[in-house]
Amino acid sequence: MTPYPITTLRRENQTLVLENVGLKKLAADYGTPLYVYSKAALSEAWQAWQVPADRPIHICYAVKANSNIAILNFFARQGAFFDTVSQGEIARVLAAGAPAHRVVFSGVAKSVKEIEFALNEGIHCFNVESLAELDRLHAVATRLGKRAPISLRINPDVDAKTHPYISTGLKENKFGIDHTEALAAYQYAASLSGLNIIGIDYHIGSQLTSLTPYLDAQNRLFGLVKQLAEHGITLEHIDLGGGLGVRYRDEVPPTAASLVEQALNGLREAGFNHALMFEPGRSLVANAGLMLTEVEYLKPTQHKNFAIVDAGMNDLIRPALYEAWMQVVNIDEHDASAVAAQHYDVVGPVCESTDWLAKDRELAVQAGDVLAVLSAGAYCMTMASNYNSRQRPAELLVDGSTVHVIRERDTLASLWADERIPE
Ligand SMILES: *Cc1c(COP(=O)(O)O)cnc(C)c1O
């Protein structure tokens, strides 16, 4: 196994280099904490999903994983579709230069305002999560003199065998329409003139490291598609969601190509000619990014050693939120004779005990060193906040030897720019 899950990262003369750019210089030039993404790694992740097929396969990038408009623009240029969960995400996709007809709109709580916006822009499909949402979509579309293209998100009741907080396809989850009620829901949708049924979808969870739950869910979904056809309800596309896992530590997730092939085989066996869709987020961006953070202090105590860094849970919340393990490496290697490796908890400046990035890691580190938190391209910057009135990090996109600033660090004034003191 390569030492780093980011394929465009390597060590050269004891220092870390991403594509052709030294990380030490980036930290010095742009400050820390800092997000850095690799365009070549994004490209590699996108290519992994490209499988020749006898039908259209639309890869809908799940915007919530990393919604910077430069990242969205990159995927738009590759021909991606986009999976969105709010008006804000749809607006971002449009601002990034992608056409509305490549947008699907998921989420359990779509408001009237969001539905109006999406209908007026002319999105590809609403992935509907409940009967009440069908009624609302029908009402809004009818009022606007439009028909809403829809797919029903089916809850297939399969265990994705991932962390419970990121499992979404079990019957006790809030997502989707129970598979046992799907036929009735489609029949109801077919009775509403403001709706145009075009697809079926599911999304069973995130960071899946096995093909088995996908196969179980796929079999259940294909059975439903057959049943619907018998009742005269035909579909244009089948959307098998996102959730493909990545390597953070030693996971060995299936390849995107094997997932696509499994779906294509299933479609052919069933004699289906539907277009195929997927909604990957994490697998397209997680291992195209890292976060740099400087060690402010070393704090040895009687119980353990702390490396206190300048990035906190507000900058990168995955460890605090679901005890995620992310690889932490010193960007400069010390000679073993100069700095001895010890076990550290890597913790941040935020006033919460959950404010940690890594626990019990062996590191040879000194104050002033810059650490890289790897696999930080997905669900990191998009979850960043200003808690403790901290300025959210800048973001860079490295392309060979070129460095693009794709987001400026928050300024101090921006922290309260939208606030007002009453007269
Ligand atoms: C979050 C989400 C995705 C993407 O999940 P990943 O694990 O990042 O691939 C896809 N579809 C829906 C509906 C989602 O909510």
Side-chain angles (χ1 to χ4, degrees), residues 8 56 94 142 159 222 224 269 302 343 422:
T8 52
L94 301 177
T142 305
D159 187 351
F222 290 4
L224 270 176
E269 271 165 35
Q302 285 181 7
H343 283 255

Side-chain angles (χ1 to χ4, degrees), residues 62 64 83 106 153 203 205-207 242-244 279-282 379:
K64 71 181 186 290
D83 176 64
S106 305
R153 176 170 177 177
H203 171 69
S206 202
Q207 185 56 14
L244 183 63
E279 304 169 350
R282 188 189 310 272
Y379 302 108

Side-chain angles (χ1 to χ4, degrees), residues 60 82-84 102-106 123-125 127 277 279:
C60 311
F82 294 89
D83 176 64
T84 61
R102 286 205 233 140
V103 170
V104 303
F105 188 9
S106 305
I123 66 163
H124 179 67
C125 191
N127 287 356
M277 294 170 71
E279 304 169 350

Side-chain angles (χ1 to χ4, degrees), residues 195-219:
L195 306 182
N196 179 23
I197 298 171
I198 64 168
I200 191 165
D201 65 284
Y202 63 62
H203 171 69
I204 54 176
S206 202
Q207 185 56 14
L208 273 67
T209 51
S210 154
L211 285 178
T212 312
Y214 281 109
L215 188 61
D216 294 347
Q218 171 181 313
N219 288 339

Side-chain angles (χ1 to χ4, degrees), residues 382-402:
T382 43
M383 289 195 190
S385 78
N386 294 113
Y387 186 42
N388 280 207
S389 283
R390 291 170 45 77
Q391 296 155 254
R392 285 169 304 165
E395 294 175 285
L396 307 179
L397 180 63
V398 167
D399 178 11
S401 307
T402 308

Side-chain angles (χ1 to χ4, degrees), residues 12-31:
E12 237 172 48
N13 304 324
Q14 298 192 315
T15 194
L16 281 182
V17 177
L18 186 68
E19 299 197 21
N20 301 328
V21 178
L23 295 181
K24 191 178 189 127
K25 180 158 165 50
L26 291 183
D29 289 353
Y30 299 95

Side-chain angles (χ1 to χ4, degrees), residues 295-366:
V295 179
E296 297 281 4
Y297 303 99
L298 294 183
K299 183 172 177 179
T301 73
Q302 285 181 7
H303 304 288
K304 52 168 80 169
N305 301 315
F306 293 102
I308 303 177
V309 298
D310 67 359
M313 62 190 286
N314 73 294
D315 304 297
L316 196 162
I317 202 176
R318 296 187 66 256
L321 192 60
Y322 17 69
E323 301 188 320
W325 191 98
M326 301 176 73
Q327 190 173 346
V328 176
V329 283
N330 198 331
I331 67 170
D332 283 321
E333 239 169 20
H334 294 290
D335 288 329
S337 56
V339 181
Q342 297 194 54
H343 283 255
Y344 289 95
D345 280 9
V346 181
V347 300
V350 172
C351 306
E352 301 279 348
S353 290
T354 51
D355 183 32
W356 53 275
L357 296 176
K359 282 190 172 161
D360 199 25
R361 299 297 172 84
E362 189 171 283
L363 289 167
V365 63
Q366 284 182 317

